[in-house]
Amino acid sequence: MATKRSLATKLGVVAGFENPRAALEQYPTPPDLAAHVVHLADLHGDIDGKTVADLGAGTGMLALAAALRGPARVIGIELDRDALTTAAGNERRVAASAPVHWIQGDATRLPFDAPDPVTVVMNPPFGAQDGNRNADREFLAAASRIAAVSYSVHNAGSREFVEAFAADNGGEVTHAFAAELAVDAQFDHHTEETRDLDVEIYRIEWT
């Protein structure tokens, strides 16, 4: 298995959003965070040979990280067509050998039927924008419908919510990991050039 550092290096070529939309909380997932999530998933046997779905794939960072770790296939679902165009270009840049399927659609209303239980990896909106409240809850609900196991990134302090949601929807949080998410200034309401957010990664097994 390649190291987490080497995976992050390979993801350094992944381009972000050209015109990010604040309403969709379109913040790029940094390579080191994507490598951290996927490396953890791989260590638990949840990537190699599996079908992996990235809900709200953006420009493909998590999907492509998974595609570099030997899955059977990767599915990236994203609402924004421009982001998907960038994701397809990023796929060529990283030269992943696993097949990657990009689907335009609402990840909370999955536009496909999974042939078998999948591993979900996602960095969902935190629901911080007025028009996007509870978005993280909707993404978790979507994961619960198709996933055998999911890995998701949430604001620090989300453990009580995530554990309660999982328990109410046939899931169980098996692991929780602390991490940092670097957010560069890209919207008018940003007052700092770069801000490091404390986040938490949750592994949930679904039945």
Side-chain angles (χ1 to χ4, degrees):
M1 182 188 298
T3 66
K4 180 172 66 173
R5 179 177 296 179
S6 67
L7 180 58
T9 298
K10 291 179 181 178
L11 295 172
V13 299
V14 174
F17 299 96
E18 288 190 15
N19 297 294
R21 296 163 61 182
L24 295 179
E25 296 188 45
Q26 288 183 327
Y27 302 98
T29 302
D32 56 346
L33 180 59
H36 188 42
V37 172
V38 169
H39 186 71
L40 289 171
D42 205 9
L43 287 173
H44 285 86
D46 296 324
I47 299 292
D48 186 37
K50 309 290 187 180
T51 295
V52 180
D54 180 359
L55 307 186
T59 64
M61 183 67 81
L62 280 168
L64 295 172
L68 289 166
R69 283 296 179 91
R73 66 193 61 82
V74 176
I75 304 168
I77 304 98
E78 170 57 42
L79 187 63
D80 185 344
R81 180 178 292 276
D82 290 341
L84 277 182
T85 299
T86 302
N90 286 332
E91 181 185 354
R92 292 189 290 272
R93 291 185 185 93
V94 303
S97 57
V100 182
H101 310 281
W102 304 108
I103 299 175
Q104 184 182 13
D106 186 342
T108 66
R109 296 173 177 82
L110 293 167
F112 72 98
D113 293 322
D116 44 51
V118 304
T119 295
V120 164
V121 294
M122 60 181 181
N123 182 8
F126 293 161
Q129 299 300 314
D130 288 340
N132 216 25
R133 298 295 182 190
N134 299 318
D136 52 350
R137 180 184 298 271
E138 294 179 5
F139 274 74
L140 281 173
S144 73
R145 294 193 291 272
I146 65 166
V149 60
S150 67
Y151 292 79
S152 52
V153 181
H154 300 267
N155 263 329
S158 296
R159 183 160 192 156
E160 183 177 354
F161 154 66
V162 174
E163 288 184 338
F165 183 92
D168 289 342
N169 290 273
E172 179 184 4
V173 173
T174 62
H175 298 79
F177 310 91
E180 285 190 347
L181 170 61
V183 177
D184 293 333
Q186 56 186 18
F187 301 122
D188 291 342
H189 63 272
H190 287 161
T191 57
E192 302 173 70
E193 185 173 339
T194 301
R195 183 181 180 189
D196 290 330
L197 301 180
D198 291 326
V199 296
E200 295 162 350
I201 304 162
Y202 292 94
R203 181 184 187 270
I204 304 174
E205 292 183 356
W206 304 96
T207 57

